[in-house]
Amino acid sequence: MHIEIQRNADISLTKQIYHSILDHIRSDLLEEDLQLPSVRELSKQIGVSLVTVVKAYQKLEQEGYITSVQGKGTFIRKTNIKEAEKKEGAISYDWQLSIQDYLPRSQFARFHQVPEKIHLSSSMIDPGLLPNRYLEQEIHKMLSENPKVLSQYGEIQGDKELRQAMVEYLKRMDVPTTPDNILVTSGSQQGIDLVARTFVGPGDVVVMEAPTYPGAIDVFRGRGATILTVPVDSDGMRVDLLQNLCDKYKPKIIYTVPTFHNPTGAVMPTKRRRQILEIAKSTQCLVIEDDPCSEIYFERKPPASMISLDQDGHVIYLKGLSKILAPGCRIGILAASGSIFKRLLAAKANADLGSPLLTQKAIIPFITSKRMMDHLKKLRTALKIRRDVVLEILSQHSPKEVSWFVPKGGLNVWLTLPFWLNTDHLLLEAKNEQITFLPGSTCFPTNQENHYLRISFSYMNEPQLEQGVKTICNILQLAIDSKIKQDSSPYF
Ligand SMILES: Cc1ncc(COP(=O)(O)O)c(C=O)c1O
């Protein structure tokens, strides 16, 4: 396990060690029962005092992540207490863990692949709500009519016909583009990565919302960026705090999800969108407008995209098709202009020489037909019903200390718990019930906050949502009751 220490950071060395080990545990890189280096070994390895390591280990132990067994060592403890004797079969420390990586939380995605019974942690769409059959037929048809699609490279920029189709599609959503300023990417995740590898180097400042989409955090961290955060309220990023930050630190990038923000669901009004563009202009920085699901609105259509308000080419717009069409096709687009676009195109060539032609071709007939709009209408209806089930169960069963934001679109409900509750711990209890949710700490790029959680309502059907959310409410209620009992005990 390699722990990267920043000696002149604001955050204490103990906290850095604590967070680093926690990231490794939550990423499943440190397995249950694995023995950690001794305090002495770790302090020598990273050049800090014994006390600093002891304090970090103590905090992890208090929170139930590790356990120390006298005379034997310190072990990872994810599930509940294992008898010390069982440590006989402990896994020995793995040399590979001493190889440093820069992506401590990216591994967390593997959590989502655990086949839980009720999966509320990742905002995927229930496959039953996507046009799989239709796409399958298109793939068959295309392969029989044009098998050469498998033996050719496509254009690095993306298939021309698809780019044209995306221009028409985006026009309906007030996103002005041309085939020449669209780049087809492997999902919007690749779009974020291309921007980061092109424009962000070690020490460059990137501004992100807090909380934000976890998949973007490690991309920027992996580039060695200094991440600064701006809190989110019900109108999205707090622009009143952004100006000072930008004046002082001159960021290279502002990353935002202005429409149905992930994870909170907030929608940024037009006025704030314009203010961000003004700030970007005055500080000469780029804005990534990440738009995975503006089509999924439950009331009125969201405000116009930031790129449509942008006069000067500051916005790099990302539209993924995973939440509306086919995550397995791995298709998204990036739209930008001028030399920014050209440099991103070069980065795409470096990354993969172009996205697979087969899936690009396969989706064209669907997105250019009337079926696409009909499908989106049905998708909105189905997801609204699921959102309402979650809201109804929350209003009936959640403890009064818990609050949430009612999303007017998107895929998630964001819950705020009393500050002393730690959803990293509660997740372990939920997993015992074969339920997952996303603990809020994964969504905070810098100071992790533990008293939030995200429930995604897009993957499970109504009965599963009902059962899952009721169980989560139960877990929350029990945790709150036990704290109240503890506080009123004469021994505390
Ligand atoms: C805000 C945001 N950006 C990007 C992505 C990645 O999506 P894609 O499948 O298009 O790569 C997601 C997926 O959940 C997301 O929520």
Side-chain angles (χ1 to χ4, degrees):
M1 176 179 53
H2 186 98
I3 294 180
E4 175 83 349
I5 293 292
Q6 290 178 2
R7 287 182 197 281
N8 44 9
D10 287 344
I11 174 165
S12 72
L13 294 175
T14 297
K15 251 191 168 168
Q16 292 185 44
I17 298 168
Y18 161 83
H19 280 307
S20 180
I21 297 176
L22 195 57
D23 277 341
H24 281 81
I25 293 175
R26 290 183 26 242
S27 300
D28 256 5
L29 279 175
L30 298 180
E31 294 166 36
E32 180 78 22
D33 287 343
L34 183 100
Q35 184 168 10
L36 286 176
S38 69
V39 169
R40 195 167 294 282
E41 280 166 350
L42 189 59
S43 79
K44 201 164 149 208
Q45 186 188 318
I46 54 180
V48 300
S49 71
L50 292 174
V51 178
T52 305
V53 178
V54 167
K55 281 192 192 157
Y57 275 15
Q58 274 172 348
K59 186 160 162 57
L60 288 162
E61 183 153 25
Q62 273 161 14
E63 295 183 0
Y65 290 110
I66 62 175
T67 186
S68 298
V69 183
Q70 221 178 1
K72 295 202 167 152
T74 305
F75 301 87
I76 300 298
R77 192 182 75 182
K78 291 189 192 169
T79 52
N80 279 333
I81 308 136
K82 289 256 161 93
E83 299 302 319
E85 286 65 39
K86 288 198 190 151
K87 293 287 174 285
E88 298 306 335
I91 305 157
S92 65
Y93 187 65
D94 179 355
W95 70 268
Q96 289 184 340
L97 287 168
S98 63
I99 301 210
Q100 178 174 8
D101 70 58
Y102 295 93
L103 306 173
R105 38 178 108 209
S106 297
Q107 290 282 335
F108 191 71
R110 288 198 286 129
F111 245 28
H112 300 320
Q113 282 152 23
V114 177
E116 302 301 342
K117 211 165 75 188
I118 301 184
H119 193 85
L120 307 176
S121 58
S122 119
S123 45
M124 298 184 294
I125 305 289
D126 177 352
L129 300 177
L130 295 174
N132 307 323
R133 275 275 165 257
Y134 185 88
L135 293 181
E136 181 227 292
Q137 283 162 11
E138 282 305 323
I139 289 175
H140 274 292
K141 195 163 140 218
M142 190 180 48
L143 282 176
S144 63
E145 285 170 8
N146 180 15
K148 278 196 187 146
V149 77
L150 295 175
S151 51
Q152 290 170 326
Y153 279 104
E155 275 185 76
I156 291 167
Q157 191 176 348
D159 182 68
K160 202 166 184 174
E161 215 189 329
L162 175 62
R163 285 186 278 127
Q164 182 61 51
M166 285 305 295
V167 169
E168 297 306 321
Y169 174 72
L170 292 170
K171 207 193 280 175
R172 296 203 188 104
M173 295 166 51
D174 297 328
V175 178
T177 53
T178 66
D180 290 340
N181 72 345
I182 281 187
L183 172 63
V184 177
T185 57
S186 296
S188 44
Q189 186 67 32
Q190 189 184 41
I192 302 169
D193 188 61
L194 292 178
V195 179
R197 63 167 81 187
T198 308
F199 299 113
V200 179
D204 284 342
V205 174
V206 172
V207 173
M208 304 186 87
E209 286 145 344
T212 188
Y213 164 55
I217 299 173
D218 270 356
V219 173
F220 294 118
R221 275 176 40 163
R223 295 292 308 159
T226 300
I227 298 179
L228 301 178
T229 56
V230 177
V232 168
D233 64 16
S234 57
D235 286 343
M237 186 187 277
R238 289 267 311 272
V239 177
D240 54 323
L241 302 176
L242 182 64
Q243 180 79 64
N244 276 347
L245 206 66
C246 290
D247 287 347
K248 196 160 164 201
Y249 295 102
K250 306 276 179 263
K252 296 279 286 283
I253 309 269
I254 300 171
Y255 170 83
T256 177
V257 186
T259 308
F260 307 129
H261 173 254
N262 184 357
T264 66
V267 177
M268 191 185 286
T270 304
K271 187 170 166 206
R272 274 200 194 177
R273 294 176 191 232
R274 286 191 195 282
Q275 286 170 321
I276 293 184
L277 291 176
E278 283 306 312
I279 294 171
K281 200 169 160 184
S282 69
T283 41
Q284 297 220 326
C285 78
L286 295 168
V287 177
I288 301 180
E289 178 181 19
D290 191 356
D291 177 20
C293 54
S294 58
E295 297 89 338
I296 305 176
Y297 52 87
F298 305 139
E299 293 173 16
R300 64 184 113 87
K301 257 176 129 170
S305 61
M306 292 177 79
I307 195 171
S308 69
L309 309 171
D310 177 27
Q311 307 288 323
D312 309 291
H314 287 275
V315 176
I316 300 169
Y317 173 83
L318 305 178
K319 161 97 294 187
L321 297 184
S322 300
K323 312 299 178 193
I324 49 174
L325 190 59
C329 286
R330 303 306 302 129
I331 293 182
I333 64 97
L334 172 158
S337 58
S339 71
I340 297 295
F341 181 80
K342 286 191 191 137
R343 286 182 270 173
L344 289 167
L345 179 55
K348 172 72 178 171
N350 283 342
D352 62 7
L353 294 176
S355 295
L357 198 51
L358 177 65
T359 50
Q360 291 187 65
K361 289 278 188 205
I363 63 169
I364 297 170
F366 193 79
I367 57 176
T368 49
S369 73
K370 187 177 160 298
R371 284 171 199 265
M372 181 71 180
M373 292 302 141
D374 293 344
H375 156 67
L376 288 178
K377 217 166 152 183
K378 283 192 209 137
L379 186 61
R380 284 192 282 269
T381 308
L383 291 177
K384 181 175 185 298
I385 292 172
R386 293 177 190 214
R387 177 206 63 171
D388 290 344
V389 167
V390 171
L391 295 179
E392 181 61 24
I393 301 295
L394 284 174
S395 61
Q396 282 176 17
H397 298 272
S398 96
K400 63 178 185 328
E401 292 83 353
V402 175
S403 59
W404 56 90
F405 181 80
V406 175
K408 300 199 170 83
L411 317 170
N412 308 303
V413 181
W414 181 244
L415 269 60
T416 304
L417 318 181
F419 72 93
W420 40 264
L421 270 182
N422 184 331
T423 53
D424 291 355
H425 297 172
L426 298 178
L427 177 62
L428 297 179
E429 289 177 34
K431 281 171 79 81
N432 287 340
E433 309 278 338
Q434 292 186 289
I435 291 169
T436 56
F437 57 76
L438 189 75
S441 60
T442 54
C443 302
F444 287 89
T446 49
N447 289 340
Q448 289 184 343
E449 299 202 32
N450 296 316
H451 61 289
Y452 298 95
L453 70 86
R454 190 191 77 180
I455 291 176
S456 296
F457 51 79
S458 50
Y459 194 56
M460 296 281 109
N461 62 29
E462 289 86 335
Q464 289 164 324
L465 285 171
E466 195 171 324
Q467 191 191 337
V469 179
K470 267 188 193 163
T471 308
I472 291 174
C473 289
N474 249 336
I475 292 171
L476 296 179
Q477 189 67 62
L478 285 172
I480 290 173
D481 290 349
S482 92
K483 167 85 165 124
I484 291 171
K485 213 162 128 198
Q486 204 181 69
D487 286 352
S488 58
S489 151
Y491 299 108
F492 285 89

